[in-house]
Amino acid sequence: MSLTELERGMRGELPKRLSLLMIMPTAALLIGVITLPTLLLLATSFTSPELGFKNYYKVNDPLYILVLFRTMIIAGATTFLAVCLGYPVAVLIARSGKIVAAVAIACVLVPLWTPVLIRSYAWIIFFQPNGLVNRYLIESQLISKPLRILYTDAAVVIALTHVMLPYMVLPIANSLKAISPDLPKAAQNLGAGAWSIFWRITLPLSLPGIFAGCLMVFVLTLGAYVTPALLGGPSTLMISTLIGQQITILLDWPFAGALSLVLVVLSLGITAVFRRLLKLERVVAYD
């Protein structure tokens, strides 16, 4: 063993060959189960005549444009609600003691521990015409007849916000923990109030976590399938459920591949925009 390898072993670092050998099973699984099937599905979108672009001309239909637009609106609304609801929880986690923070983290992670079908059916019980929400509103005499909540965009947004909240809270909490507690104290000693400290110090320095959370929530919501299918129904069609219909019901795999490629390009474009915003935010925050 050379001196360099000995030094790496003392620091707990593995040799490069051994590291590559250890990740090969996981890489092979990802390539075989996810990457190759996805590439094959995308390749089917070019199997039609007219240079393989017939399926992409079909995407320009107003119906599919409306579905894509609705998907982006729902993803944007879900991201906005996740920020509004998740930021106070992230502050609680970052500023509280270990016990309170552990309880808050456990409550945030409950949606990830619950199967997606159970979560969706629980929201159906809440939102159905004789469900808990309508029953409470009627008994409180706030409404005279049940509201139509189930199978609407609002039901999908609320349920997706519940599912995506952990992906927003945890990055923001990490950013808040990285802020030195001496900065707010110094600002307070200089006469700054609570709101001034928040707007000028806490919020700008936590923007990396906000942008990271927004990126994960927005992109994951674009590809959400089970929750929109169960709570949205046929009247609230998103691009993921549309792809599922093309594959399982209409058996139009080439068009499903075209829609999938559009979704992938859209996700990559949004990721690039968020990365650019994060770089600009760092320049502004530390200017």
Side-chain angles (χ1 to χ4, degrees), residues 253-269:
W253 286 69
F255 185 54
L259 291 173
S260 301
L261 184 58
V262 171
L263 183 59
V264 169
V265 172
L266 181 62
S267 300
L268 292 177

Side-chain angles (χ1 to χ4, degrees), residues 144-195:
S144 58
K145 59 180 181 180
L147 297 175
R148 182 178 178 270
I149 305 176
L150 191 61
Y151 303 134
T152 61
D153 291 349
V156 175
V157 170
I158 294 173
L160 285 175
T161 302
H162 174 243
V163 175
M164 300 297 173
L165 201 58
Y167 300 101
M168 182 66 70
V169 172
L170 297 180
I172 296 177
N174 289 331
S175 293
L176 291 172
K177 289 181 179 179
I179 299 176
S180 174
D182 295 333
L183 293 177
K185 292 179 181 179
Q188 189 175 9
N189 291 333
L190 293 174
W195 280 106

Side-chain angles (χ1 to χ4, degrees), residues 44-89:
T44 58
S45 64
F46 297 98
T47 58
S48 62
E50 301 180 14
L51 299 178
F53 291 104
K54 181 180 179 180
N55 295 303
Y56 295 94
Y57 297 148
K58 191 177 178 181
V59 177
N60 291 326
D61 187 279
L63 173 62
Y64 303 126
I65 296 297
L66 177 62
V67 171
L68 182 60
F69 182 74
R70 180 190 294 120
T71 301
M72 296 186 64
I73 292 297
I74 290 177
T78 302
T79 304
F80 177 76
L81 281 180
V83 172
C84 295
L85 297 176
Y87 199 95
V89 179

Side-chain angles (χ1 to χ4, degrees), residues 26-232:
T26 303
L29 180 64
L30 292 176
I31 293 174
V33 176
I34 298 177
T35 305
L36 288 180
T38 302
L39 292 177
L40 290 175
L41 177 62
L42 298 179
T44 58
S45 64
F46 297 98
T47 58
S48 62
E50 301 180 14
L51 299 178
F53 291 104
K54 181 180 179 180
N55 295 303
Y56 295 94
Y57 297 148
K58 191 177 178 181
V59 177
N60 291 326
D61 187 279
L63 173 62
Y64 303 126
I65 296 297
L66 177 62
V67 171
L68 182 60
F69 182 74
R70 180 190 294 120
T71 301
M72 296 186 64
I73 292 297
I74 290 177
T78 302
T79 304
F80 177 76
L81 281 180
V83 172
C84 295
L85 297 176
Y87 199 95
V89 179
V91 173
L92 176 65
I93 293 174
R95 298 289 185 262
S96 302
K98 293 183 178 180
I99 298 178
V100 176
V103 173
I105 292 175
C107 294
V108 168
L109 294 178
V110 165
L112 297 181
W113 299 338
T114 308
V116 62
L117 288 176
I118 296 178
R119 291 195 306 259
S120 300
Y121 283 121
W123 282 111
I124 290 176
I125 295 174
F126 269 93
F127 292 148
Q128 61 185 350
N130 58 345
L132 297 178
V133 175
N134 278 312
R135 191 182 308 169
Y136 173 78
L137 293 175
I138 292 175
E139 291 177 355
S140 302
Q141 297 182 351
L142 297 175
I143 58 175
S144 58
K145 59 180 181 180
L147 297 175
R148 182 178 178 270
I149 305 176
L150 191 61
Y151 303 134
T152 61
D153 291 349
V156 175
V157 170
I158 294 173
L160 285 175
T161 302
H162 174 243
V163 175
M164 300 297 173
L165 201 58
Y167 300 101
M168 182 66 70
V169 172
L170 297 180
I172 296 177
N174 289 331
S175 293
L176 291 172
K177 289 181 179 179
I179 299 176
S180 174
D182 295 333
L183 293 177
K185 292 179 181 179
Q188 189 175 9
N189 291 333
L190 293 174
W195 280 106
S196 180
I197 293 174
F198 174 76
W199 286 108
R200 296 189 179 187
I201 297 177
T202 305
L203 182 61
L205 294 179
S206 63
L207 284 179
I210 295 176
F211 281 130
C214 289
L215 176 60
M216 287 191 291
V217 171
F218 195 92
V219 172
L220 290 175
T221 304
L222 287 178
Y225 176 75
V226 177
T227 300
L230 293 178
L231 293 172

